[in-house]
Amino acid sequence: MSDATPTPTATPERPQLPAQSPPVDPAETAVASDKAASTGKLSWWRGDGGDGAKRNLGLVGVLAALILVGAVTKPDLYGDPNWVWNNVLAILQLASVVGVVTVGMTFVIIGGGIDLSVGAILALAGVWCTTVATQSYGAAGMIFTALVVGICVGLVNGVLISYGRLVPFIATLAMLVAARGLAASISNKQTQVSSSTFINDIAARKVIGIPILVYILGAVVLAGWVVLNRTTFGRRTIAVGGNPEAARLAGINVRRHTMLLYALSGLCCGIAAIMLTSQATSAQAAMANLYELDAIAAAIIGGTLLSGGRGTIVGSLLGVIIFATITNLFAINGLSIEAQNMVKGGIIVAAVLVQQFQFKSVTRLLARNRVTTAT
């Protein structure tokens, strides 16, 4: 009889439970929260908001330098307070139309896109709203038509880019040509005169001494700032522009959101079409020429990254005002448009170089300072 050795039975291993964290002292929690609150007071300066604030302060400095140049070159004009006030209003009125277009462009660029068709959309909306058939419905019909045309063309851009998988540069470039052609076809290459007294008086009328166009610009800028900084739509715009794949994994419908961004840009073009039609009391297919370049340049000057994910509405507004001030400065000094364009081109190149090199260095320096302070 052989000895039988018992076969060992496999016992399941006990799952390793995670180590329990020690109890948290409420006093320590209160101290930590107080410390976070105290450092949070400076987060607007040290974080992304601080970078935007410092950039905006720099743009204000540029405006001050331009005013100083004007005061040196034309001391007789800048010595008259009435002329200075009227000149400020003229600069703001000059910047109003491009400023409204720039708000929509800023959203598109922050969302990781580009829109080269804003000038053509503006022209198409202006021509369409000044046809004889549209003007028969009065000022309300003209405004409604301009807004609807802008939104619809912007939606076409968004659908082609989001669902047609076209590159934004190609899609909006094609729309630039198509919209200009359609505007020329509708107007028969003629200038269409606006017969609406209400529309024409928008540019001529003032409230408390300030043109209505400036109020419209302020309302659009305020609405854009609120949407970008205080709504879910704005946070999703920054997320989509910063990292589309991460935004998709986070549950954001990237395609639909991109389509809505281009629709928003079209809406701004529709508003600008009414404003420009009011200034000229007419509309034609060649209006708003190169407005897309002015809007892109103003957004870049204001700190909006071409790669997407970062930008400010206030910075874009300051960029528009800087370009309008340069135009005004060259006009009162009798300088040529060619020299003005060369200066604008140099400013754009300098702004892009600052974005590429200095922004990363400043961010790393701030991060290093935070680590040093924490230790």
Side-chain angles (χ1 to χ4, degrees):
M1 198 169 133
S2 62
D3 295 337
T5 60
T7 58
T9 58
T11 59
E13 297 182 356
R14 286 188 181 178
Q16 299 237 349
L17 297 176
Q20 294 183 355
S21 57
V24 180
D25 187 0
E28 294 180 359
T29 305
V31 172
S33 61
D34 292 340
K35 183 177 179 181
S38 61
T39 56
K41 295 178 182 178
L42 297 178
S43 61
W44 68 274
W45 178 260
R46 294 179 178 175
D48 295 337
D51 292 329
K54 286 178 283 187
R55 179 179 290 275
N56 292 341
L57 287 176
L59 294 176
V60 172
V62 172
L63 276 175
L66 291 174
I67 294 173
L68 181 61
V69 171
V72 171
T73 55
K74 291 291 182 180
D76 52 336
L77 295 178
Y78 278 85
D80 184 2
N82 293 329
W83 182 91
V84 171
W85 172 247
N86 292 330
N87 190 53
V88 170
L89 294 180
I91 291 174
L92 293 177
Q93 193 163 4
L94 178 65
S96 59
V97 178
V98 179
V100 171
V101 175
T102 303
V103 171
M105 181 69 75
T106 302
F107 273 92
V108 171
I109 297 179
I110 292 176
I114 197 74
D115 193 350
L116 301 179
S117 63
V118 290
I121 296 175
L122 194 159
L124 178 59
V127 166
W128 207 319
C129 77
T130 53
T131 58
V132 176
T134 304
Q135 293 194 55
S136 63
Y137 291 95
M142 295 175 65
I143 296 174
F144 177 78
T145 301
L147 299 181
V148 170
V149 169
I151 293 173
C152 290
V153 179
L155 281 174
V156 172
N157 279 336
V159 169
L160 292 175
I161 294 169
S162 300
Y163 298 96
R165 303 292 181 88
L166 291 182
V167 179
F169 181 89
I170 299 300
T172 57
L173 183 62
M175 182 58 70
L176 182 153
V177 179
R180 291 282 183 190
L182 182 56
S185 177
I186 292 175
S187 63
N188 199 20
K189 299 181 181 179
Q190 302 295 322
T191 300
Q192 298 182 162
V193 179
S194 171
S195 60
S196 172
T197 305
F198 179 84
I199 297 295
N200 297 339
D201 286 347
I202 292 177
R205 196 174 301 168
K206 294 183 179 181
V207 177
I208 319 178
I210 299 176
I212 293 181
L213 291 179
V214 178
Y215 285 108
I216 296 175
L217 172 62
V220 173
V221 168
L222 178 60
W225 184 90
V226 171
V227 171
L228 182 62
N229 297 279
R230 294 293 184 267
T231 66
T232 304
F233 185 88
R235 291 190 291 271
R236 289 179 177 178
T237 300
I238 296 174
V240 169
N243 192 328
E245 182 61 21
R248 184 187 67 82
L249 295 176
I252 299 176
N253 191 331
V254 176
R255 292 185 180 181
R256 184 180 63 185
H257 192 84
T258 301
M259 181 183 66
L260 293 177
L261 287 176
Y262 283 93
L264 177 61
S265 177
L267 173 62
C268 291
C269 291
I271 297 173
I274 295 295
M275 299 169 67
L276 191 57
T277 300
S278 174
Q279 285 183 314
T281 66
S282 62
Q284 56 179 339
M287 68 191 298
N289 188 31
L290 297 181
Y291 271 34
E292 54 275 359
L293 298 184
D294 290 339
I296 294 172
I300 295 173
I301 293 297
T304 304
L305 295 183
L306 282 174
S307 57
R310 181 177 284 111
T312 63
I313 299 296
V314 175
S316 297
L317 174 63
L318 291 174
V320 173
I321 295 176
I322 285 175
F323 278 130
T325 304
I326 292 175
T327 301
N328 177 266
L329 190 61
F330 275 65
I332 63 177
N333 284 279
L335 300 177
S336 64
I337 299 179
E338 292 78 10
Q340 173 185 328
N341 291 335
M342 287 189 291
V343 171
K344 286 184 178 180
I347 293 175
I348 295 171
V349 171
V352 174
L353 290 176
V354 168
Q355 285 187 0
Q356 288 185 351
F357 297 102
Q358 293 187 2
F359 185 81
K360 292 182 178 179
S361 300
V362 171
T363 304
R364 291 172 182 171
L365 178 61
L366 291 174
R368 195 175 306 158
N369 290 338
R370 288 195 211 106
V371 173
T372 305
T373 304
T375 56

